[in-house]
Amino acid sequence: MIGVLLLLLLLPFLLYIAAPQIRKMLSSGVCTSTIQLPGKVAVVTGANTGIGKETAKELAQRGARVYLACRDVQKAELVAREIQIMTGNQQVLVRKLDLADTKSIRAFAKGFLAEEKHLHILINNAGVMMCPYSKTADGFEMHMGVNHLGHFLLTHLLLEKLKESTPSRVVNVSSLAHHLGRIHFHNLQGEKFYHAGLAYCHSKLANILFTQELARRLKGSGVTAYSVHPGTVNSELVRHSSLMRWIWWLFSFFIKTPQQGAQTSLYCALTEGLEVLSGNHFSFFMVSFEEQKLLILMKSHLSIFSFITCAFGVLSKKLLPSPRSQRFITVFFQQFYSFNIKFRSMILLFFFLNFILFIFYTAGSFFLNIFIGV
């Protein structure tokens, strides 16, 4: 009983100690580009909250004329005013855009094309996640309709303007969840089977496939396209899931702020010389000394993990695993190495922390039994 109490007392302490390093790994630096954007025009979808708001704020800070393309116009007007006050840039404009309705998308594009002569940056940021099964105004499953098809149509309608404004860029905000995505052509609208979490993953995979094909078709045109994983960010994206909101609250110490989450989008929108990487997917974009340290850290984690694995193998007298176990281990490590380096580091850190907790618990119980007799 005392050992359990000690474990419960140590867990928050260890998490508190580890939190800054975990958050630092997840934050992955900031966009260091110093480029200014006077005379440039940018459109950011879903810019009335979260990552979109922070992205629009940074673009406005650099002098761009920024359009907040949002479904909730009233909320967007308040955000636009906030950005104007903070940046001193009065060229922050709000326009109605409901990505769940192709009529609204076409109306936005028509108005924008009549109003502006140029478009240099299009950031397709808006999205929905884990919402109950529903369809858009045009009958598309909501995740695929909003996250992919809505932005697909918007980009298509603005493409000629982007070509006329070269060099210009399209940034599609995707997610690490795309690894779980599949394009089920026989069930695109989720009518045969539906899972809210997987539907989100499917739409994020569609974002990446769209980016790759768009970049291929636009090669040599002066328009480049990039998809990004912003990281795990504390935003309103999880509003449809009580479980996700609870998890986000529970692990809030380790989750990115919207400002941190916006950095990869800004990196792809602003960094000079990125044209040769058009079509690529960016996740934890900063390749710096910090990343080299992470490589060393990961090797350290791998050594510890290997040691623990061998130790448990010896203790269980299973030095040579069965063929079935070998297949499982092979598949596990193939999946493990498909993840981003920093995600892998975090998984290994999780195992390491649990190992430390196990040692503390065992040692505590041992000494309590000797000295106290419990």
Side-chain angles (χ1 to χ4, degrees):
M1 181 64 182
I2 296 178
V4 173
L5 289 174
L6 280 173
L7 178 65
L8 291 174
L9 288 171
L10 282 169
L11 180 59
F13 174 73
L14 289 173
L15 288 176
Y16 177 78
I17 295 294
Q21 290 302 318
I22 296 174
R23 187 168 218 173
K24 188 175 183 180
M25 278 196 291
L26 290 171
S27 297
S28 185
V30 297
C31 175
T32 56
S33 172
T34 57
I35 191 170
Q36 296 299 305
L37 304 171
K40 303 294 184 181
V41 180
V43 171
V44 184
T45 68
N48 59 350
T49 187
I51 297 172
K53 175 183 174 181
E54 295 300 327
T55 302
K57 185 190 298 182
E58 181 62 29
L59 295 175
Q61 183 71 53
R62 294 169 184 257
R65 180 177 172 89
V66 184
Y67 282 81
L68 313 187
C70 306
R71 182 175 57 85
D72 190 336
V73 173
Q74 186 175 3
K75 187 174 181 179
E77 291 285 2
L78 294 174
V79 170
R81 185 59 186 152
E82 178 186 334
I83 294 175
Q84 288 170 353
I85 293 172
M86 290 184 68
T87 64
N89 183 350
Q90 299 303 306
Q91 298 298 302
V92 181
L93 311 170
V94 174
R95 296 294 180 267
K96 171 80 172 180
L97 174 65
D98 184 354
L99 289 162
D101 186 349
T102 56
K103 289 182 179 178
S104 175
I105 299 170
R106 292 182 184 279
F108 169 85
K110 183 179 180 180
F112 179 84
L113 294 174
E115 192 172 358
E116 287 293 339
K117 294 181 179 179
H118 300 286
L119 174 58
H120 303 94
I121 300 171
L122 171 60
I123 298 184
N124 292 321
N125 165 83
V128 293
M129 177 181 176
M130 297 185 70
C131 54
Y133 183 75
S134 57
K135 290 186 175 181
T136 67
D138 303 276
F140 303 122
E141 186 276 316
M142 189 61 70
H143 290 91
M144 190 63 74
V146 171
N147 296 352
H148 169 56
L149 294 174
H151 283 129
F152 176 92
L153 176 59
L154 176 66
T155 305
H156 171 71
L157 295 173
L158 299 178
L159 199 51
E160 289 305 315
K161 189 66 70 177
L162 286 161
K163 289 179 180 178
E164 294 169 6
S165 310
T166 57
S168 54
R169 298 185 181 185
V170 178
V171 179
N172 296 315
V173 178
S174 182
S175 169
L176 185 69
H178 80 272
H179 284 293
L180 299 177
R182 298 291 183 274
I183 306 300
H184 298 293
F185 288 103
H186 64 288
N187 188 45
L188 278 178
Q189 311 314 327
E191 294 171 332
K192 295 181 180 179
F193 55 87
Y194 177 78
H195 184 281
L198 289 177
Y200 174 75
C201 299
H202 303 334
S203 69
K204 294 292 103 179
L205 174 60
N207 291 153
I208 292 176
L209 296 175
F210 167 49
T211 303
Q212 291 175 346
E213 181 61 17
L214 182 65
R216 187 187 70 82
R217 296 193 179 206
L218 294 176
K219 189 173 182 179
S221 69
V223 183
T224 51
Y226 314 88
S227 62
V228 303
H229 165 55
T232 306
V233 181
N234 186 10
S235 70
E236 294 182 9
L237 191 62
V238 296
R239 60 186 177 275
H240 293 293
S241 172
S242 299
L243 175 62
M244 293 300 291
R245 289 201 304 270
W246 183 81
I247 293 173
W248 254 234
W249 174 81
L250 186 65
F251 293 99
S252 58
F253 284 113
F254 312 122
I255 293 176
K256 284 185 178 184
T257 64
Q259 183 182 24
Q260 292 169 334
Q263 297 306 308
T264 311
S265 296
L266 291 167
Y267 176 81
C268 289
L270 302 173
T271 303
E272 296 173 298
L274 213 62
E275 290 77 10
V276 293
L277 297 176
S278 180
N280 278 271
H281 180 64
F282 287 76
S283 176
F284 302 106
F285 62 90
M286 298 298 289
V287 181
S288 64
F289 179 65
E290 290 298 321
E291 188 134 25
Q292 297 304 317
K293 288 197 295 184
L294 268 170
L295 283 167
I296 297 170
L297 181 63
M298 192 193 79
K299 289 179 181 178
S300 172
H301 288 167
L302 282 170
S303 300
I304 294 167
F305 187 70
S306 299
F307 170 77
I308 295 168
T309 303
C310 291
F312 277 111
V314 171
L315 290 173
S316 61
K317 297 181 181 179
K318 291 182 179 178
L319 298 176
L320 296 174
S322 66
R324 186 177 180 181
S325 298
Q326 290 180 40
R327 287 195 301 272
F328 172 80
I329 292 169
T330 301
V331 172
F332 172 82
F333 277 101
Q334 284 176 345
Q335 184 63 36
F336 179 75
Y337 278 101
S338 72
F339 291 129
N340 183 278
I341 177 176
K342 297 191 178 181
F343 192 68
R344 297 201 302 264
S345 294
M346 205 181 148
I347 292 173
L348 290 167
L349 185 58
F350 172 77
F351 278 113
F352 178 64
L353 287 174
N354 276 279
F355 176 69
I356 295 297
L357 286 172
F358 172 77
I359 295 298
F360 271 106
Y361 176 75
T362 305
S365 299
F366 175 77
F367 284 113
L368 285 171
N369 271 286
I370 291 177
F371 296 112
I372 305 177
V374 295

